[in-house]
Amino acid sequence: MSVAVLGGLLAVSTLAGCGGDKEAGSTGGGDDKIVLGFSQVGAESGWRTANTESIKASAKAAGIELKFSDAQGKQENQISDIRGFITQKVDVIAFSPVVTSGWDAVLKEAKDANIPVILTDRAVDSQDTSLYKSFIGSDFKVEGEKAGEWLAKEYEGKTGDVNIVELQGTTGSAPAIDRQTGFAEKIKANPNLKVVKTQTGDFKRADGKTVMETFLQSTPKIDVLYAHNDDMGLGAIEAIEAAGKVPGKDIKIITVDAVRDGMTALAAGKINFIVECSPLLGDQLMEVVKKVNKGETVEKRILTKEGTFTPEQAKTELPNRKY
Ligand code: GYE
């Protein structure tokens, strides 16, 4: 396996047979422009908004005609979007699967129609990986591990129970599954670190707030909140403050994404640690769209490069933040 840096993204090359079954410039909008059908999850978070903007801007810059649809968080909408793109004979289909399971039938329909599919952001659990050409996005398990490592270090050598509550992302989505697993693996060496409550907040700020309210009511001693994204963490902060507690002090907070609102709360000390997850996938997606449209072989897995931030680092980074 080779690893290369491509335009700020890491490409892990397994070169699974991707080319050949699609002719250059075939079908689509009737002129030379590539037509890309993109089915987006929805508009649930700041991350998603930045991701949508990135895809739209990059398509424009690349001269690709984008047919964009917003599935409003529903898998059935994504499936009908994809079927619509097949009927319209777009050149390439890309989508960010809301959940991991249940895609095989529609992906098979796209394959039978000879339309290449690219996954962006989130993974599917299909065993048949020939159903898509490439998967561009983050390693969510590593993100969970980074969150867990920070916490394990924070409580290293200390005694007493540490009660952790977890706000999970959308149930059944790749980031919710992997961020939970990676985190759990890294904290298990210290038996003091206990996840006492875990519940979905659907990656949304409003849900993060209401679920945190119930956590606060049912669990008198909460030491740590691990939220699978900034938005849920920000909603939870409102609930924590309303309960008369100080976020970042009475309750330590770890989130994932590092969008501007999250970084602002981190710089203010209301969040203690953020694991970065970049939504800027547009340019890389358009490069891969052009290649698969020509029938070229592409990297099967393209990994986003990302870091982590402490409050001090957030202060330095904030003026440069693009999303
Ligand atoms: O972390 C969250 C969004 O799939 C990586 O979805 C994405 C996640 C992101 O709603 O904010």
Side-chain angles (χ1 to χ4, degrees), residues 44-48 96 121-122 138 140 143 175 179 202-203 228-231 256-257 277:
E44 73 282 3
S45 65
W47 190 100
R48 190 64 53 196
S96 172
D121 162 32
R122 296 185 184 176
S138 309
F140 302 131
E143 291 172 352
R179 287 174 187 167
D202 207 18
F203 281 131
H228 290 187
N229 79 344
D230 289 344
D231 281 87
V256 186
D257 277 354
C277 179

Side-chain angles (χ1 to χ4, degrees), residues 236-315:
I237 286 172
E238 291 174 33
I240 293 168
E241 286 176 336
K245 298 196 173 185
V246 183
K249 293 203 171 67
D250 296 334
I251 299 178
K252 290 193 175 135
I253 303 178
I254 311 167
T255 64
V256 186
D257 277 354
V259 296
R260 197 187 313 275
D261 285 357
M263 292 288 271
T264 305
L266 179 64
K270 294 186 178 194
I271 295 178
N272 305 76
F273 191 66
I274 301 186
V275 178
E276 185 180 34
C277 179
S278 175
L280 305 180
L281 305 178
D283 286 353
Q284 190 65 38
L285 172 61
M286 299 312 149
E287 271 179 47
V288 175
V289 165
K290 284 182 183 168
K291 284 188 181 165
V292 297
N293 187 60
K294 282 193 220 149
E296 284 175 20
T297 302
V298 293
E299 315 288 341
K300 193 76 182 184
R301 177 74 170 108
I302 298 169
L303 271 177
T304 322
K305 224 177 137 191
E306 45 215 3
T308 60
F309 298 99
T310 61
E312 280 315 307
Q313 290 165 331
K315 282 180 204 155

